[in-house]
Structure formats: C-alpha cells, structure tokens
Amino acid sequence: CPGVNANAVAEYVLTLMLSMTRELFDLGRTGATTFRTTRSLLNSKIGLIGMGHIGQRVAAMLKGLGVQDVYYYSRTRKPDVEEKLGISYLPMNDLLKISDIVSLHVSIEAGEKYFSKEQLALMNDGALLVNTSFEAALDLDALYSELASGRLRAAHDGAVNDERFKQLPLGVWFNSNSHTAFNTYEANKSASDMVTQSIINLLTIGRDQYQINY
C-alpha cells in the first residue's frame, strides 16, 4: 500500500515540530514553566532528510502553513518536487548546518546508525531533531550525549528502551510509547480498501498495479 499512511505520519511530524518548538511540555502541566517566549515554526529553517511519500507530504504541510525556509536532502535530487512545493535541495552536511529543525524520513534500507555522531555534531545549538523513520537510524549513545548536555532537543516516534532517556525532561526529549505516527482511522481504512481492491483485481483480471510477486 505505497504512500497510504503518508498523510498520517506527516501530520504526526507536524505535531512533534509544533509541540517542541512552542515548548508545550515545559509550559503545560507536564512542566514547571509558567511563561517563556518561544520560537515560531513559521520562522524556523526546516531540513527534511528523505523525500519520498512522507517527506513530500511534510514539505507540503509546512509550506501550506507558511514556512518559507524548507530544505531537503535525498540520495536522488527531485527538481520536479522542488518546483511543485517551493523547497530547496542541499547536500546533507549543508542542510544540517543551517536548519533549526531536522526531520528524518529515511527507510530502513538506510542502515543502522544512519544518523550518527558526525551528523549530530553538525547541527546548530538548540536545534530540534525529529525522527519518525525507525529507531535504529539513530546513534542513541551519541544522541543522548547531545541531549544531556542541553545542546540539542529531539522527538521520536516509538519506544526507546534505554533508561537514560527516561531521565531527560520532556522539553528536551519526547518519545511515544510505541510507533503511532502511521496509526489513524483514515490511514488504516485506506490501506484496507487498497488491499481489498488489489485482491479483487488479482482474482478477476489476474493483475494489479501494486502487485510485487510475479
């Protein structure tokens, strides 16, 4: 079901960006801060790593909100997407150096510790890292060092079974209890409908556009 949960994940990415940028956890009942002037998402420089179905939906949502500075890195540059969405391509290292928020949208094929100590070191002081791809994409030891020092903040979709992270303030580190970004009623229904139609196509005409086994 290619792309069927892209909207759901993109929506969750936006939720994490807004919650952390507006310091929702520190300024709400989960924190002790009563007043603080925060940054605005609209005036942030946002870098997206990966420009597949989800990355494109995140970019479209950000531009729709009025974010001007949206950049992306992908192994394959996509000029048509750049023109359509009004975003700019940058090599990864350049993107990391200028972004206030970095959001990961890579597949598991990228490999473990894809985002490691070297990449984290290039990020600006105070920058936010959002990961809705897969846990192993992060070098957790390197990430913890950056978070514990107060230099970076991060938000992650999924449980992290590392006791060190449980001691970090929510305004510095947020993770969901399990993978939840993809899980909306609408996304699940769309996937069910798509699978049902594919089965009907295979049984009636013997082929389907999403068929992968021949």
Side-chain angles (χ1 to χ4, degrees), residues 33-45:
T33 304
T34 56
F35 183 83
R36 180 185 294 156
T37 301
T38 70
R39 295 202 59 164
S40 167
L41 188 67
L42 298 187
N43 293 321
S44 298
K45 293 181 174 65

Side-chain angles (χ1 to χ4, degrees), residues 9 14 23 87 89 92 94 109 116 146 149 185 188 191-192:
V9 177
L14 201 61
E23 303 187 32
I87 62 177
Y89 172 87
M92 187 192 291
D94 294 340
E109 284 75 20
S116 63
E146 293 283 15
S149 73
Y185 172 82
N188 292 336
S192 176

Side-chain angles (χ1 to χ4, degrees), residues 117-134:
K117 180 179 180 179
E118 289 72 21
Q119 286 75 44
L120 289 165
L122 292 174
M123 293 178 65
N124 288 326
D125 291 353
L128 168 68
L129 174 65
V130 175
N131 179 42
T132 54
S133 55
F134 62 105

Side-chain angles (χ1 to χ4, degrees), residues 27-191:
L27 291 165
R29 291 180 61 193
T30 50
T33 304
T34 56
F35 183 83
R36 180 185 294 156
T37 301
T38 70
R39 295 202 59 164
S40 167
L41 188 67
L42 298 187
N43 293 321
S44 298
K45 293 181 174 65
I46 301 179
L48 308 177
I49 298 179
M51 193 46 57
H53 293 294
I54 295 170
Q56 290 181 41
R57 289 304 300 144
V58 173
M61 289 181 179
L62 289 170
K63 297 300 288 188
L65 283 176
V67 180
Q68 295 298 311
D69 299 318
V70 180
Y71 308 95
Y72 83 98
Y73 166 77
S74 176
R75 287 179 299 176
T76 303
R77 185 169 179 176
K78 302 183 177 181
D80 56 330
V81 174
E82 295 172 31
E83 183 176 359
K84 177 183 177 182
L85 298 179
I87 62 177
S88 301
Y89 172 87
L90 286 175
M92 187 192 291
N93 288 357
D94 294 340
L95 178 149
L96 295 175
K97 290 175 183 177
I98 69 167
S99 296
D100 303 305
I101 301 172
V102 174
S103 188
L104 298 184
H105 302 285
V106 295
S107 70
I108 197 167
E109 284 75 20
E112 293 187 5
K113 297 185 179 180
Y114 171 82
F115 206 80
S116 63
K117 180 179 180 179
E118 289 72 21
Q119 286 75 44
L120 289 165
L122 292 174
M123 293 178 65
N124 288 326
D125 291 353
L128 168 68
L129 174 65
V130 175
N131 179 42
T132 54
S133 55
F134 62 105
E135 179 183 337
L138 302 174
D139 181 335
L140 292 181
D141 288 333
L143 178 60
Y144 177 78
S145 295
E146 293 283 15
L147 299 178
S149 73
R151 197 181 78 81
L152 298 179
R153 298 178 301 136
H156 170 71
D157 176 39
V160 173
N161 297 316
D162 186 322
E163 291 297 320
R164 296 175 298 173
F165 284 81
K166 296 179 181 179
Q167 309 306 315
L168 295 169
L170 280 171
V172 172
W173 165 257
F174 171 85
N175 67 272
S176 54
N177 294 327
S178 63
H179 289 294
T180 191
F182 72 95
N183 194 14
T184 65
Y185 172 82
E186 291 79 7
N188 292 336
K189 185 177 186 304
S190 294

